Amino acid sequence: MTTTTLSRSKRSAADLLFDLCNTVFLLALLVLTLYPVLNTLAVSFNQAQDTVRDSTFLWPREFTTLNYSTLFQDGLIYHAFFISVARTLLGTVSSVFCTAMLAYTLSRKDYVLRGPISFIFIFTMYFSGGLIPTYMLIKNLHLYGTFWVYVIPGLIGAFNLIVMRSFMEGLPESLVESAQIDGATHFSIFMRIILPLSLPVIATIALFVAVGQWNSWFDTFLYNSSNINLSTLQYELMKKLQSANMSVGGTAESAFASSKNIQANIVTPASIRAAITVVATVPIIIVYPFLQKYFVTGLTLGGVKE
């Protein structure tokens, strides 16, 4: 009896030590993860000259909204924000729907062209035509200078297609067979059975596509840089950052060196960069919690089959 009690006390001590080490490790990981985020947020609301002196802090020492007012003083930013929201919503919905339809088609074992089409999409993951052929293709398709250049070229992604196809292949085949016996068409089966059951993987892919659409600016630079009506938020923020880098000598150090001869309302590349980071990431951070519960489930079930 005494030996059993002693053994239990030893196990309890080992468990306590493990819990303590685990807690310390996770707290350290939390600090390492949150510090860059909090520091960037603090720098974006801190006076630029004070940031140049010491950028290591977690809250604004000299609070100001000048960094954000500098970003949004141009009315084009608001229109660019609307374009980014429109391309993100339309691009995400259309891409997820088209990818899901093709994934369902390729998940059917009785589809004759299942193998060749899958190979073609997998081939594009390793080899591409390059920038110049892609540019020529966009121009020949008359997508150059239009809003649809943000939507149509990215309708179907090979990686997203493979994840969705793997998930749908894991769904019970009896559901499809029962619906076919009742006279349902493949489109009805897809809309009424497959699509509702694939909600976890759809939410996961939607998050991937939405982040890619929201952060994209290079396609605007290539195809719509001369059309200000189709400029996106990320492209305008990139131009703001380049402008800030060229001003005040181009560096925060030069701004600090000349701080005695300039007014207190100056902005530096570091402060503008922090404000741009916050503006670019806040919308995705707001959306992510609503999709988080589907994220792990969808990615796990889509990548691993029983």
Side-chain angles (χ1 to χ4, degrees):
M1 188 68 179
T2 306
T3 305
T4 304
T5 304
L6 182 61
S7 177
R8 289 179 179 175
S9 64
K10 288 183 179 179
R11 287 199 300 269
S12 299
D15 292 340
L16 181 61
L17 180 61
F18 173 79
D19 292 340
L20 179 62
C21 294
N22 195 29
T23 302
V24 172
F25 173 77
L26 291 178
L27 286 176
L29 185 62
L30 178 64
V31 171
L32 291 175
T33 304
L34 285 182
Y35 174 76
V37 178
L38 297 178
N39 178 253
T40 301
L41 185 63
V43 169
S44 68
F45 282 105
N46 196 62
Q47 191 181 80
Q49 289 177 268
D50 180 72
T51 302
V52 171
R53 288 191 289 269
D54 183 14
S55 61
T56 307
F57 53 90
L58 294 177
W59 55 85
R61 289 189 296 259
E62 298 183 19
F63 184 84
T64 181
T65 59
L66 179 63
N67 300 322
Y68 291 95
S69 62
T70 302
L71 282 181
F72 292 100
Q73 65 183 358
D74 187 2
L76 183 60
I77 288 290
Y78 299 97
H79 182 74
F81 178 82
F82 171 77
I83 295 296
S84 290
V85 171
R87 71 168 290 179
T88 300
L89 293 177
L90 185 59
T92 301
V93 172
S94 59
S95 177
V96 170
F97 185 74
C98 291
T99 303
M101 283 198 300
L102 182 57
Y104 169 69
T105 303
L106 297 180
S107 68
R108 305 301 305 150
K109 294 184 173 71
D110 55 347
Y111 181 53
V112 178
L113 299 178
R114 175 188 179 190
I117 294 179
S118 298
F119 173 77
I120 291 174
F121 277 95
I122 294 175
F123 185 83
T124 62
M125 296 178 64
Y126 300 96
F127 304 96
S128 65
L131 181 61
I132 295 178
T134 301
Y135 180 86
M136 295 175 61
L137 175 63
I138 294 297
K139 202 163 186 179
N140 291 333
L141 292 175
H142 303 289
L143 295 176
Y144 184 88
T146 66
F147 175 81
W148 298 107
V149 75
Y150 300 142
V151 179
I152 295 178
L155 275 180
I156 298 177
F159 174 78
N160 299 337
L161 176 65
I162 293 174
V163 172
M164 276 196 176
R165 187 196 66 181
S166 300
F167 183 92
M168 293 178 181
E169 286 177 346
L171 297 177
E173 182 67 20
S174 57
L175 296 175
V176 177
E177 293 176 353
S178 300
Q180 289 177 335
I181 292 175
D182 292 337
T185 62
H186 279 292
F187 187 75
S188 298
I189 295 173
F190 169 74
M191 293 297 296
R192 298 183 181 183
I193 299 177
I194 302 300
L195 210 58
L197 293 177
S198 302
L199 186 58
V201 72
I202 287 175
T204 303
I205 299 303
L207 182 61
F208 288 162
V209 176
V211 171
Q213 286 281 6
W214 178 259
N215 290 332
S216 180
W217 64 269
F218 193 62
D219 50 1
T220 306
F221 171 72
L222 288 177
Y223 310 121
N224 284 324
S225 58
S226 60
N227 190 350
I228 60 174
N229 293 324
L230 293 177
S231 183
T232 58
L233 177 64
Q234 305 299 335
Y235 182 63
E236 292 301 319
L237 294 179
M238 185 272 297
K239 292 195 299 183
K240 289 285 185 181
L241 181 58
Q242 288 184 341
S243 177
N245 287 330
M246 290 186 295
S247 65
V248 198
T251 63
E253 289 76 8
S254 60
F256 177 67
S258 59
S259 60
K260 295 182 179 179
N261 300 322
I262 57 179
Q263 298 178 351
N265 61 349
I266 192 174
V267 294
T268 63
S271 59
I272 289 295
R273 190 182 304 114
I276 288 175
T277 302
V278 173
V279 171
T281 56
V282 163
I284 296 298
I285 293 176
I286 294 175
V287 173
Y288 181 76
F290 297 98
L291 301 177
Q292 184 181 12
K293 62 181 180 179
Y294 301 109
F295 186 79
V296 176
T297 303
L299 189 61
T300 303
L301 294 180
V304 179
K305 292 174 53 182
E306 293 183 1

